[in-house]
Amino acid sequence: MALTPDHDTGPERFRLAARVIRKYLIGARSLHDHIATKLLGSGASRVLDIGCGEGALSDALPHPPPFRLVGLDASAELVSAHPAPRLRADALRLPFRDGTFDAAVAVNLLPQLDDPDRALREARRVLAPGGLLLVTAICRTDSPELSPVWRPEPTTFDAEEAPARVGEVFGEVEVERWDAPLITLPDEAAVRDYLIARQVPRPQATEAATHLNTPLPVTKRGSLVLARR
């Protein structure tokens, strides 16, 4: 499907979100950099990146990584840009045998799914005993500086309930929260792109950007939840 002025496809929106965060991140490591450090210290030899997109986690790791990293995404367009090994598949029906991986990662994927609990059960199934799960979710009050023109839509899996939801499937969890001004949007175009990446239609995003003063620091709020099988 071709892009029109008022329509951005899911893959295009995903790419835009990644570009905005990378370009305007201030004084902090990216989330993928942080997760890469966790994986490098975990001793894992087989890692599954569920909802890998074009490979942000792969980019944050040494090349080649010291473990086998498999990228999986439902979008053929996105996963085709991920380094091999990679495959197109559904997070609700992972095409792997039980206990295949030592670690599994899902960065901001579960809020996009109709049944995140099933995805958690699938992730647990493909982990070996003692395997590490790392999932992230955004808070309901993320990006409060944009509240005059936009608020996040409710999702099926947000940071406020993520620890309990993961705990129901995995048992004990560890939670790392973030709540800080992590990006600065320098102009109207950057605000527009940020809103489009968060599923605001392009015309509304363009109009909303005119009502905010820039440069605009944006507070990011969310959680990283870690659990072991």
Side-chain angles (χ1 to χ4, degrees):
M1 181 183 297
L3 295 183
T4 66
D6 62 348
H7 179 84
D8 295 89
T9 65
E12 181 62 25
R13 206 178 281 130
F14 185 96
R15 292 192 188 99
L16 186 58
R19 288 199 298 269
V20 168
I21 295 297
R22 284 197 303 268
K23 187 173 183 179
Y24 303 123
L25 189 71
I26 54 173
R29 293 190 304 168
S30 76
L31 181 56
H32 285 98
D33 287 336
H34 183 62
I35 289 173
T37 299
K38 295 280 189 186
L39 291 170
L40 291 170
S42 71
S45 59
R46 301 158 299 170
V47 178
L48 176 64
D49 186 3
I50 309 170
C52 65
E54 294 180 309
L57 177 58
S58 175
D59 289 344
L61 290 163
H63 292 278
F67 44 71
R68 179 177 175 83
L69 176 67
V70 178
L72 179 146
D73 202 286
S75 167
E77 183 178 347
L78 291 176
V79 79
S80 66
H82 190 283
R86 66 197 180 212
L87 72 161
R88 182 186 182 189
D90 188 341
L92 304 182
R93 292 180 293 275
L94 297 176
F96 303 104
R97 295 179 179 177
D98 297 0
T100 299
F101 296 95
D102 305 305
V105 178
V107 176
N108 296 340
L109 170 71
L110 299 182
Q112 304 175 43
L113 302 179
D114 293 333
D115 192 352
D117 296 327
R118 180 175 174 184
L120 286 171
R121 292 192 296 270
E122 274 291 276
R124 186 181 188 280
R125 179 184 65 77
V126 302
L127 284 173
L132 176 66
L133 175 77
L134 304 96
V135 300
T136 69
I138 303 302
C139 285
R140 299 166 193 161
T141 57
D142 182 57
S143 307
E145 294 82 2
L146 291 166
S147 60
V149 298
W150 170 79
R151 291 305 310 155
E153 292 291 330
T155 73
T156 58
F157 187 91
D158 56 44
E160 287 81 356
E161 62 181 17
R165 300 276 289 275
V166 176
E168 289 175 358
V169 177
F170 281 81
E172 187 175 350
V173 301
E174 177 186 343
V175 183
E176 297 183 7
R177 295 181 172 85
W178 62 88
D179 184 350
L182 294 179
I183 65 173
T184 294
L185 303 175
D187 50 36
E188 282 187 19
V191 175
R192 177 204 63 208
D193 288 350
Y194 185 89
L195 291 171
I196 292 170
R198 275 137 192 85
Q199 304 189 29
V200 178
R202 184 173 291 268
Q204 289 91 317
T206 302
E207 168 63 19
T210 67
H211 298 292
L212 296 171
N213 295 324
T214 56
L216 180 68
V218 177
T219 299
K220 300 301 297 172
R221 294 171 176 164
S223 293
L224 168 64
V225 182
L226 304 94
R228 288 197 179 271
R229 186 184 188 284

